[in-house]
Amino acid sequence: MRIVESIHEMRDITKRARIEGKIIGFVPTMGSFHEGHLSLMKRGIEEVDLLVISIFVNPTQFGQGEDYDRYPRNIDEDNKKASELGVDIIFYPNVEEIYPDNYHTFVTVEKINNKLCGASRPGFFKGVATVVTKLFNIVRPHKAYFGEKDYQQLVVIRRIEKDLNMDIKIVGMPIIRESDGLAMSSRNLYLTDKERISALSLSRSLNKAKKMVHSGERSAERIISEMRSIIESERFTEIDYIAVCDPEEFDDVDEIKKRTLIALAVMIGKARLIDNCIVEVK
Ligand code: AMP
């Protein structure tokens, strides 16, 4: 496994690989790997000839007062895990490499950028869309892997790929959870033991929502109210949003009539956690 820090060198490697007819896969990350990240890499390794992953804590997607400075960084551990899996290249640029002085260009996905997480984190999806576009242009993969844990992000990336004619296959991968249901996240490291117990209410509320839909409930209001009461009955929880919405445009729905996204974001202590599920109604 090679660790590459410069854009120039990274480009060179994938340019050669393309000439050799290799299929290039790409997994962008902010590092501090858990099984969620590793599941994307494993899938990539199965499917492509050269798997590139990136580790870059992207400053432009963090708002003022958010956790950019204290976001967990575990590069040595990450290297070890990636190399044991069989990743070929880690692209590990520094901030100046990606955003040199006089950097001016940003990518904005209109309309869906200010819904759900975008409403409480203005500028977040602009930062994500910009860095992913840049990374795609540097690595030029055939396939890129993203987790459904960040469902709205996955949809934003599918939109960029389609709207900007990138010709990259975007592969969405299921949410990996701890055995007690907590969706894996680098931010789980912020939780104290007691907060972690409260955090289980997120997946519990989604499971309850799924059960309600399964037993015939179609009212978004009643589902949200039930979810809210499960989460609010735990200490340390502060709900940012619970949404029952269209899974492409993120417009709220009153009644569940077709494929619907149920998504939430909750602050627990210092951690802002997100989780979601899709419900299908025939
Ligand atoms: P991050 O390092 O948090 O930016 O995540 C990098 C990639 O891993 C994104 O595509 C995430 O959606 C994905 N990911 C993060 N957590 C999980 C999880 N629990 N299950 C599946 N994918 C995940």
Side-chain angles (χ1 to χ4, degrees):
M1 188 184 74
R2 268 171 79 178
I3 299 172
V4 173
E5 295 185 12
S6 88
I7 291 174
H8 177 76
E9 193 186 347
M10 187 64 249
R11 273 186 185 294
D12 229 42
I13 293 169
T14 47
K15 206 194 277 175
R16 273 171 219 262
R18 274 192 174 249
I19 291 169
E20 289 166 12
K22 289 187 173 155
I23 300 296
I24 300 161
F26 182 43
V27 180
T29 80
M30 299 208 296
S32 197
F33 295 156
H34 49 67
E35 288 296 326
H37 297 112
L38 302 185
S39 71
L40 310 187
M41 297 177 207
K42 281 181 199 157
R43 173 78 176 265
I45 288 165
E46 280 167 18
E47 291 187 348
V48 303
D49 303 313
L50 183 85
L51 185 73
V52 180
I53 68 168
S54 63
I55 300 179
F56 181 65
V57 183
N58 174 35
T60 63
Q61 71 189 65
F62 288 81
Q64 282 227 324
E66 289 189 351
D67 56 344
Y68 175 70
D69 288 331
R70 61 192 168 85
Y71 194 85
R73 289 160 171 90
N74 296 311
I75 187 67
D76 293 338
E77 274 285 298
D78 288 351
N79 287 346
K80 198 160 159 267
K81 288 179 183 168
S83 122
E84 276 168 12
L85 274 190
V87 167
D88 297 294
I89 313 277
I90 298 188
F91 181 46
Y92 181 52
N94 64 27
V95 173
E96 292 70 40
E97 186 74 0
I98 297 295
Y99 300 112
D101 283 348
N102 255 336
Y103 187 87
H104 290 323
T105 305
F106 289 88
V107 178
T108 302
V109 179
E110 309 251 314
K111 190 164 181 284
I112 56 176
N113 63 343
N114 53 16
K115 307 267 180 66
L116 310 189
C117 284
S120 33
R121 302 184 72 189
F124 171 66
F125 287 113
K126 180 177 162 189
V128 169
T130 301
V131 80
V132 171
T133 301
K134 284 172 69 69
L135 291 168
F136 280 174
N137 284 335
I138 295 164
V139 175
R140 299 204 43 236
H142 297 90
K143 281 182 155 189
Y145 301 84
F146 294 87
E148 288 174 356
K149 154 88 175 3
D150 302 87
Y151 197 92
Q152 190 178 8
Q153 169 175 286
L154 172 61
V155 172
V156 163
I157 287 156
R158 286 195 198 283
R159 276 252 66 96
I160 309 172
E161 190 281 331
K162 186 160 187 273
D163 292 352
L164 299 182
N165 312 99
M166 289 176 156
D167 197 22
I168 298 170
K169 184 168 169 33
I170 306 297
V171 182
M173 296 285 292
I175 302 175
I176 304 294
R177 299 178 179 282
E178 305 282 358
S179 53
D180 56 10
L182 182 65
M184 291 197 184
S185 163
S186 306
R187 290 191 168 95
N188 291 349
L189 292 170
Y190 299 153
L191 299 171
T192 63
D193 290 350
K194 285 182 179 154
E195 286 167 349
R196 198 186 173 290
I197 291 170
S198 295
L200 296 177
S201 63
L202 275 65
S203 54
R204 208 160 56 235
S205 74
L206 287 166
N207 285 338
K208 175 71 183 181
K210 278 193 277 193
K211 268 199 197 126
M212 288 173 80
V213 174
H214 196 68
S215 347
E217 182 60 83
R218 295 291 178 265
S219 152
E221 196 185 329
R222 282 197 290 271
I223 289 169
I224 291 173
S225 150
E226 190 66 32
M227 291 175 70
R228 185 173 286 282
S229 76
I230 290 172
I231 294 169
E232 284 179 344
S233 71
E234 292 292 335
R235 284 195 295 165
F236 316 114
T237 57
E238 198 182 309
I239 297 172
D240 175 359
Y241 67 80
I242 301 176
V244 175
C245 61
D246 177 88
E248 303 301 324
E249 299 294 337
F250 307 109
D251 294 322
D252 288 335
V253 300
D254 295 331
E255 264 204 59
I256 300 181
K257 293 184 188 141
K258 52 179 180 143
R259 195 165 182 273
T260 301
L261 173 70
I262 306 182
L264 48 77
V266 180
M267 282 301 299
I268 301 190
K270 290 197 183 74
R272 182 177 182 281
L273 302 182
I274 57 174
D275 202 345
N276 69 79
C277 69
I278 291 280
V279 288
E280 306 262 3
V281 175
K282 298 257 159 51

